[in-house]
Amino acid sequence: MKSSKKKSKKKTKAAAPTTTTAEAAAAYFEDLGSAGIKSSSTANGPIPKLNVTKTEKKRRAKRLERFGTATSASSSTTSSSGSEEDDKDNSKSINESLLFGNDSNNHKNNNRNKKRKTSTTTTTITGTSQSLTRSYTRNTPNIDDIRPLPVLMKSFQHVKAKYIQTEDYEWTNEQFKCIRQDITIQQYKNEFALDVYETHARIVLEHGDLSEFNQCQTMILSLTSEKIKQTAKDEFSGYRILYSIVQKSGWDLHSAMKDHLIGSSCTGPATNHAFQVVKAICHDDFQSFFKLYESAPHLSAYLMDFLVRRVRLSALERIIAAYRPSVSIEYVREALFLSDLEETRRCLRQFGAVFVSDPGGLPFWVDCRATSLVTGTGVHRSKDDDDRKGK
């Protein structure tokens, strides 16, 4: 009984028309526009053409959406024209989407966008506030609090005049940040904006605020790169070089030197002075450094203040290593450009110097040998010591 059932099943399978399925599949591909299927023929003769119904068109449109094809392709398949050119475009988009994914369609759209001239319009905001001062907020202020250019010019003069009278740095710094914020929101890039950033940079430099100074300096570089005339270019070129030394930024220093060598407009007394400072620090020439510190132009001395301690420590190491058996505190005071002997003693104690005991009271000499042993300055090992340390 089992064998007879199996035979009956086999007979039913064999009775199924195999040619109809192949013909239907071939006709389906033919309708999509496949060139290879169109040109080929089966053993039974040419492939019959399948009539596409409305439900079949809808089903194909849904299948096109699954492949992420463009809307134009899906609309062409659902259109009532049913022309062969539309079928070819649809089949091409399907084949490309199967091979390359959605990137092929994105590439087509990008090419279309390149050919089409698109105008990008940026919306500019113009403030309406007439107040000369306001409180600073990190978030974007309301348009009612933003001041237009004529009001900002009056506010700028008002803040400068009040700073000269009161020297209130906290209030002045806040008001300058508000002016800068209004300038940025309204996208003002002119000589007035440059004047604001330069003035704010000088004020924060007087108070040693390097963070705010760097923000102003960055915007000054951005504004001057847009062909805005700068009268204080030499001054801020010198600040830029000194600031790169303070921050130990070799990249910024290299960029400043490149601008100095290529652009002759950057040369001037402040820029040349800054490069002399770089030379003195690189050569550990502390005497030249302090001479340059005394003759610094503009506000360069405020930036050099951040270098003084570094140079003094390096100079003390050289003095202790060079002099034996002792050196006078008076000589150290003159060499390190210190005000009096008490300040010199305080500086030497911070360094870890050992003084020669004086029965009279205050020390006037530094024991260089003992200081070098304590601090490790100027201690030269012999070759045998180095060999033992290597072992």
Side-chain angles (χ1 to χ4, degrees):
M1 292 294 291
K2 290 182 180 178
S3 60
S4 61
K5 284 182 180 179
K6 287 181 180 179
K7 288 179 181 179
S8 62
K9 284 182 180 179
K10 289 180 180 178
K11 287 179 181 178
T12 53
K13 286 183 180 178
T18 55
T19 54
T20 310
T21 307
E23 289 174 359
Y28 176 78
F29 281 109
E30 180 191 3
D31 189 66
L32 286 178
S34 177
I37 299 297
K38 264 188 173 179
S39 58
S40 65
S41 60
T42 59
N44 298 328
I47 300 171
K49 197 165 185 178
L50 184 68
N51 294 325
V52 182
T53 60
K54 291 182 179 180
T55 50
E56 179 65 19
K57 288 178 182 179
K58 290 180 181 179
R59 191 164 61 85
R60 293 181 187 182
K62 288 181 180 179
R63 191 156 42 245
L64 288 175
E65 292 176 359
R66 186 184 66 181
F67 291 118
T69 53
T71 55
S72 60
S74 62
S75 62
S76 63
T77 52
T78 55
S79 62
S80 59
S81 61
S83 62
E84 292 184 0
E85 293 180 359
D86 293 340
D87 292 338
K88 288 180 182 179
D89 293 339
N90 295 337
S91 64
K92 189 175 181 182
S93 63
I94 288 175
N95 294 334
E96 287 183 357
S97 62
L98 287 170
L99 290 172
F100 307 109
N102 295 332
D103 292 340
S104 61
N105 297 314
N106 295 335
H107 180 67
K108 285 182 178 181
N109 294 333
N110 291 336
N111 290 335
R112 292 193 194 102
N113 293 333
K114 285 180 182 178
K115 292 177 182 178
R116 193 183 303 154
K117 293 181 180 179
T118 56
S119 59
T120 56
T121 56
T122 56
T123 57
T124 56
I125 300 172
T126 304
T128 58
S129 176
Q130 299 296 317
S131 178
L132 295 180
T133 60
R134 70 172 178 87
S135 58
Y136 177 74
T137 175
R138 288 186 177 273
N139 300 325
T140 305
N142 298 326
I143 193 168
D144 297 334
D145 298 330
I146 300 173
R147 296 160 292 183
L149 185 59
V151 181
L152 286 175
M153 290 181 175
K154 294 178 183 178
S155 176
F156 178 53
Q157 299 299 331
H158 171 71
V159 172
K160 283 198 301 181
K162 192 169 182 179
Y163 176 72
I164 294 171
Q165 293 175 359
T166 62
E167 294 188 0
D168 187 356
Y169 173 69
E170 297 297 331
W171 180 85
T172 306
N173 184 40
E174 182 183 11
Q175 294 306 314
F176 265 102
K177 288 170 74 173
C178 292
I179 296 172
R180 285 166 44 189
Q181 191 178 50
D182 292 348
I183 288 172
T184 304
I185 292 171
Q186 297 174 98
Q187 300 179 8
Y188 291 142
K189 296 180 180 180
N190 48 23
E191 293 183 6
F192 168 72
L194 182 62
D195 193 10
V196 169
Y197 281 102
E198 287 179 348
T199 306
H200 194 197
R202 295 186 184 103
I203 291 173
V204 297
L205 196 58
E206 287 180 350
H207 294 270
D209 194 344
L210 291 183
S211 177
E212 287 292 337
F213 173 78
N214 187 38
Q215 293 180 25
C216 296
Q217 178 185 232
T218 305
M219 285 304 303
I220 289 168
L221 287 173
S222 176
L223 290 170
T224 52
S225 65
E226 297 188 11
K227 307 301 181 183
I228 297 175
K229 186 179 180 181
Q230 185 183 21
T231 56
K233 191 168 186 177
D234 174 57
E235 176 187 356
F236 281 90
S237 177
Y239 295 158
R240 180 186 174 192
I241 296 166
L242 293 176
Y243 180 80
S244 63
I245 309 171
V246 171
Q247 297 297 328
K248 298 181 179 180
S249 177
W251 188 89
D252 290 336
L253 181 60
H254 173 74
S255 178
M257 291 178 68
K258 183 179 177 182
D259 293 343
H260 174 74
L261 294 173
I262 295 175
S264 59
S265 58
C266 293
T267 57
T271 308
N272 292 332
H273 172 270
F275 277 116
Q276 291 297 320
V277 173
V278 174
K279 182 179 177 182
I281 291 177
C282 290
H283 294 169
D284 288 322
D285 188 358
F286 58 90
Q287 292 183 347
S288 297
F289 174 84
F290 287 114
K291 288 178 182 177
L292 292 167
Y293 179 71
E294 201 171 17
S295 62
H298 305 294
L299 301 176
S300 297
Y302 289 99
L303 281 168
M304 294 179 71
D305 285 339
F306 294 93
L307 300 170
V308 168
R309 178 175 172 78
R310 192 190 308 174
V311 173
R312 280 176 178 166
L313 290 176
S314 176
L316 274 174
E317 290 178 357
R318 290 179 168 272
I319 291 172
I320 296 299
Y323 286 84
R324 288 291 188 275
S326 59
V327 63
S328 67
I329 296 177
E330 178 63 27
Y331 172 78
V332 175
R333 184 193 69 78
E334 293 177 356
L336 301 186
F337 201 71
L338 294 165
S339 58
D340 53 18
L341 292 178
E342 187 58 34
E343 186 184 4
T344 308
R345 292 188 185 97
R346 188 163 55 250
C347 180
L348 288 168
R349 288 191 187 97
Q350 291 176 357
F351 179 72
V354 179
F355 298 101
V356 177
S357 59
D358 192 348
L362 295 173
F364 289 95
W365 296 84
V366 178
D367 191 337
C368 296
R369 183 174 179 80
T371 301
S372 62
L373 291 173
V374 171
T375 60
T377 303
V379 178
H380 300 283
R381 299 186 186 90
S382 63
K383 187 177 179 181
D384 296 335
D385 294 337
D386 293 335
D387 294 339
R388 291 192 200 98
K389 188 176 179 181
K391 291 178 182 179

